[in-house]
Amino acid sequence: MRHLILFSTILLLTMHAGAQSARKTRTITTSFSKNGTISGDTTFFKYDGQSIGQFGALTRFFNRNLRVPMAADGSGMELGTCNLFLIVDTAGKVTKTWCDSVTNTAVEKEVLRVAGKLATMKPTTIKGKPVFTKVMASIIMAYGKDNEPYTGRQADVIVIAYDPVHKKALGR
């Protein structure tokens, strides 16, 4: 009799555990420009809790930390583009970063280095519940000239590289 009661109790617990489905969390895909915006019942991820004019804190972070890499052989600057992807989890931590459509591996390494420094952010929520977010950002590292306009470029982050100017070159 004990074996029958024990067996039925174990069977009942097993069936109850199997009936509960694993908790699933949605994943949404968005662009870098959605930082801190609201659309219907969705509040998109927000970095650093502040906005600076038309540029958000996330764009400012990348502009302050990205450096144009120099060529290993000393021949000049490594320029190019890449599409950066970030996965932001429900706690607001960046759990994975990778680049796609890379034109220069040195640019990719620099972008991933800076993306690895990102602090915790406020996660995307749908109806008040946090969800995983896949964020895409296009980044350009280009050579700058004094008379070239940069407003028409289609990218989330543009890093402009100039030749270094030394005081000796200016005759000072």
Side-chain angles (χ1 to χ4, degrees):
M1 184 71 170
R2 280 183 161 171
H3 295 290
L4 184 59
I5 293 173
L6 183 61
F7 178 74
S8 62
T9 304
I10 291 172
L11 182 63
L12 184 63
L13 288 174
T14 307
M15 288 176 29
H16 180 67
Q20 293 178 342
S21 63
R23 185 172 179 214
K24 295 182 181 179
T25 305
R26 289 177 56 182
T27 301
I28 64 167
T29 303
T30 187
S31 67
F32 196 75
S33 60
K34 292 283 189 180
N35 178 25
T37 61
I38 299 172
S39 176
D41 58 357
T42 304
T43 303
F44 289 98
F45 65 99
K46 189 163 188 170
Y47 183 76
D48 203 27
Q50 59 182 333
S51 182
I52 298 115
Q54 67 179 6
F55 303 105
L58 192 56
T59 304
R60 185 176 186 199
F61 173 82
F62 275 94
N63 281 328
R64 284 188 166 197
N65 290 291
L66 281 173
R67 302 289 176 252
V68 176
M70 298 302 286
D73 61 0
S75 62
M77 295 176 275
E78 298 277 355
L79 305 173
T81 63
C82 97
N83 290 328
L84 172 67
F85 292 89
L86 311 166
I87 299 290
V88 180
D89 67 7
T90 56
K93 294 181 181 178
V94 177
T95 58
K96 186 175 180 183
T97 59
W98 72 94
C99 286
D100 189 10
S101 304
V102 178
T103 60
N104 189 325
T105 56
V107 171
E108 177 185 20
K109 284 181 182 179
E110 176 64 11
V111 169
L112 291 175
R113 179 191 69 81
V114 173
K117 291 181 167 187
L118 282 168
T120 302
M121 58 185 77
K122 186 176 177 186
T124 299
T125 58
I126 298 177
K127 295 183 181 177
K129 294 182 181 180
V131 296
F132 283 85
T133 310
K134 179 179 166 185
V135 182
M136 185 232 152
S138 59
I139 298 173
I140 296 176
M141 289 189 182
Y143 183 73
K145 296 180 181 153
D146 292 335
N147 58 357
E148 188 177 334
Y150 299 102
T151 56
R153 304 244 177 143
Q154 296 297 316
D156 296 308
V157 178
I158 300 175
V159 179
I160 306 301
Y162 293 97
D163 285 327
V165 177
H166 301 285
K167 289 181 180 179
K168 289 182 181 179
L170 296 174
R172 294 183 189 169

